[in-house]
Amino acid sequence: MPAQAYPGKECVCQHRKPVCDQTCVRDMLDTPFYVACLKLTSRRCLVVGGGEVGLEKVEGLLACAGEVTLISPEAAPELERLATEGSIRWERREYAGKGDLEGTFMVIAATDDTEVNIRVFDDAEERAMLVNVVDVPPLCNFILPAIVRSGPLAIAISTAGASPALAKRMKAEIADLYGEDHARLAVILNETRGWAKSTLPTYQDRKSFFEGIVGGEPDPIELIRGGRERELLDLIEQAKQEAEASLAA
């Protein structure tokens, strides 16, 4: 079952039961999540809680160019350093309520105070904002998957909260399979997108063109791995010429 929910544990969600009876996560694994990649550049992101978990969430937001504000009376040394250098804004106080969410795109609560977490969730839900209370699935309207990153490549792994340990294992396995070579191919193909949009008239034409390169022979990944990138560029140029000739025929 998802984290933070098992019989006998103190309730940490909005149901405020004397002990957890799993009411809040009974249907969690049947929930279909809409998977999306969010652009956080220059968007205000709020983290409530300055411990090690809060640091992890702050670092993740900074990696995506979010403008991060931390609200916490105290903070881990690394968070203090980030605030001192100006990478984040630190408000050294307790969460005050809805006003703290003004102008905020996303809020992540990483405190060990259930009442604070519930307040953050309720306030954010009232504003139809993105909110995640760490390790408490029923206090989230989005969840954070494990991410494999390499250049522009980002692969998300989610078990819907069922097993973070499994997601971690899968992350390591996927990182071994898809890394710098695939990221480099993505960059190379992106450089051809402008030509494709201006030359190939339909979405299906563009789709067929790129799929022909990615799934064709020789394998573009093997060319990159073998230090034969020049051959790949020549292959793409030849494909472009063939596509143009086909259009002109």
Side-chain angles (χ1 to χ4, degrees):
M1 72 192 70
Q4 292 286 11
Y6 54 86
K9 179 170 182 169
E10 180 182 354
C11 179
V12 295
C13 76
Q14 64 269 53
H15 293 288
R16 293 183 169 90
K17 300 198 171 202
V19 292
C20 175
D21 66 0
Q22 301 179 58
T23 296
C24 60
V25 294
R26 205 156 278 157
D27 301 319
M28 190 71 183
L29 298 187
D30 296 324
T31 301
F33 285 94
Y34 185 78
V35 180
C37 296
L38 301 177
K39 182 180 179 181
L40 298 185
T41 305
S42 300
R43 293 185 183 273
R44 183 173 187 259
C45 303
L46 177 64
V47 175
V48 181
E52 291 302 318
V53 177
L55 170 61
E56 176 189 337
K57 303 310 174 186
V58 165
E59 290 177 334
L61 294 170
L62 289 176
C64 296
E67 291 188 358
V68 181
T69 295
L70 171 70
I71 293 180
S72 181
E74 299 178 347
E78 182 62 16
L79 285 170
E80 289 192 26
R81 186 188 67 78
L82 290 171
T84 299
E85 71 182 23
S87 294
I88 66 172
R89 177 184 175 190
W90 178 21
E91 298 188 12
R92 307 183 190 199
R93 57 178 177 82
E94 300 285 354
Y95 174 74
K98 298 176 186 177
D100 286 338
L101 304 182
E102 189 67 34
T104 299
F105 178 70
M106 169 194 299
V107 57
I108 298 176
T111 83
D112 56 5
D113 188 321
T114 296
E115 292 304 314
V116 171
N117 290 340
I118 292 172
R119 284 178 62 207
V120 171
F121 175 77
D122 287 343
D123 291 346
E125 278 282 278
E126 188 175 318
R127 288 174 170 253
M129 282 176 53
L130 291 171
V131 56
N132 177 285
V133 175
V134 177
D135 214 19
V136 189
L139 294 180
C140 302
N141 57 27
F142 77 98
I143 59 176
L144 294 167
I147 302 291
V148 176
R149 292 188 190 278
S150 182
L153 189 68
I155 303 172
I157 306 104
S158 172
T159 61
S163 177
L166 175 58
K168 183 177 180 181
R169 170 181 169 168
M170 293 174 66
K171 175 180 177 179
E173 292 173 349
I174 289 171
D176 288 338
L177 290 173
Y178 305 102
E180 293 181 6
D181 300 324
H182 290 79
R184 179 58 187 155
L185 179 58
V187 170
I188 291 172
L189 294 177
N190 183 64
E191 293 170 353
T192 307
R193 284 170 59 86
W195 170 87
K197 287 187 176 182
S198 64
T199 306
L200 304 178
T202 70
Y203 166 79
Q204 190 58 47
D205 290 332
R206 296 187 290 273
K207 179 172 179 283
S208 297
F209 174 81
F210 283 110
E211 288 184 349
I213 294 171
V214 172
E217 292 293 338
D219 183 348
I221 292 296
E222 291 305 318
L223 290 177
I224 293 173
R225 286 176 178 165
R228 300 157 61 193
E229 190 172 303
R230 182 67 258 171
E231 291 181 44
L232 172 58
L233 297 176
D234 291 342
L235 184 151
I236 293 173
E237 190 59 34
Q238 179 181 345
K240 289 164 65 174
Q241 292 174 7
E242 291 174 355
E244 290 171 349
S246 177
L247 290 172

